[in-house]
Amino acid sequence: MPENKEDLEKKAAADKAAKDAAEKEDAEKKEAADKAAKDAFEKEESEKKEAADKKAKDEAEEEEKKKGMDAMDAQVKSLTAQVEALKSGGVKALLGEIAKRDALASQISKFVGSFDCADKTLAEVAKYGVEKLGLTVPAGHEQIALDAYFVGRTPKCEETGFSLDSAIAEKGKSLRDLVA
């Protein structure tokens, strides 16, 4: 059966339309596959970038923590060294301060009479001495003022004096007579 020209043209048009539809469908599939591959690639790259950013952030935080811990360790070591130095030198310094306080209290008491300084510091004893001696001194300079005050002064209790026992005076004997 011979096909007529019209049928052949219809068939050719239908074949062409089918071919165009198939090409269009293939192009759409290819475009969809390309888009899916591109989206997958972009998603993978985005995930890689996010992972790299997170890793960098975590490393930075870890480094910051490490720096903080190193600084804290350095402070602890410094404070420990200071405590050890205070333990070894602090006792000596404290004893030296107590000795200075006692010496100053002894010197002041020769002029104003004895007083209790057991619970006072060197500065407090100096302040007490300045008050008792009636000196006008700027705050913080009490010890210097006392040192200047004591130069060339002899306490009344150290003045040379003598006394006789009443028994000796009554009998009319001298001390030389008793010793000889």
Short mmCIF file of all heavy atoms in Angstrom, two decimals, residues 130 133-138 145:
data_model
loop_
_atom_site.label_atom_id
_atom_site.label_comp_id
_atom_site.label_asym_id
_atom_site.label_seq_id
_atom_site.Cartn_x
_atom_site.Cartn_y
_atom_site.Cartn_z
N VAL A 130 54.88 60.12 118.81
CA VAL A 130 54.73 61.51 118.38
C VAL A 130 53.62 62.19 119.18
O VAL A 130 53.78 63.33 119.64
CB VAL A 130 54.43 61.58 116.86
CG1 VAL A 130 53.92 62.94 116.45
CG2 VAL A 130 55.68 61.23 116.07
N LEU A 133 54.82 62.75 122.87
CA LEU A 133 55.86 63.77 122.99
C LEU A 133 55.35 65.14 122.56
O LEU A 133 56.05 66.13 122.72
CB LEU A 133 57.09 63.38 122.17
CG LEU A 133 57.85 62.17 122.70
CD1 LEU A 133 58.91 61.72 121.69
CD2 LEU A 133 58.49 62.46 124.04
N GLY A 134 54.14 65.20 122.00
CA GLY A 134 53.55 66.48 121.60
C GLY A 134 54.17 67.06 120.35
O GLY A 134 54.17 68.28 120.17
N LEU A 135 54.65 66.23 119.46
CA LEU A 135 55.26 66.71 118.22
C LEU A 135 54.20 66.86 117.14
O LEU A 135 53.27 66.07 117.05
CB LEU A 135 56.35 65.73 117.75
CG LEU A 135 57.48 65.44 118.74
CD1 LEU A 135 58.38 64.36 118.17
CD2 LEU A 135 58.26 66.70 119.04
N THR A 136 54.38 67.87 116.30
CA THR A 136 53.49 68.08 115.16
C THR A 136 54.23 67.59 113.92
O THR A 136 55.25 68.17 113.53
CB THR A 136 53.12 69.56 114.99
OG1 THR A 136 52.56 70.02 116.22
CG2 THR A 136 52.12 69.74 113.87
N VAL A 137 53.69 66.54 113.32
CA VAL A 137 54.39 65.88 112.22
C VAL A 137 53.36 65.50 111.15
O VAL A 137 52.27 65.05 111.47
CB VAL A 137 55.08 64.59 112.73
CG1 VAL A 137 55.79 63.88 111.61
CG2 VAL A 137 56.05 64.90 113.84
N PRO A 138 53.71 65.67 109.86
CA PRO A 138 52.80 65.20 108.81
C PRO A 138 52.65 63.68 108.86
O PRO A 138 53.59 62.97 109.23
CB PRO A 138 53.48 65.61 107.49
CG PRO A 138 54.63 66.49 107.87
CD PRO A 138 54.90 66.31 109.31
N ALA A 145 60.57 61.84 112.38
CA ALA A 145 60.51 62.90 113.39
C ALA A 145 61.03 62.40 114.73
O ALA A 145 61.75 63.12 115.44
CB ALA A 145 59.08 63.41 113.52
#
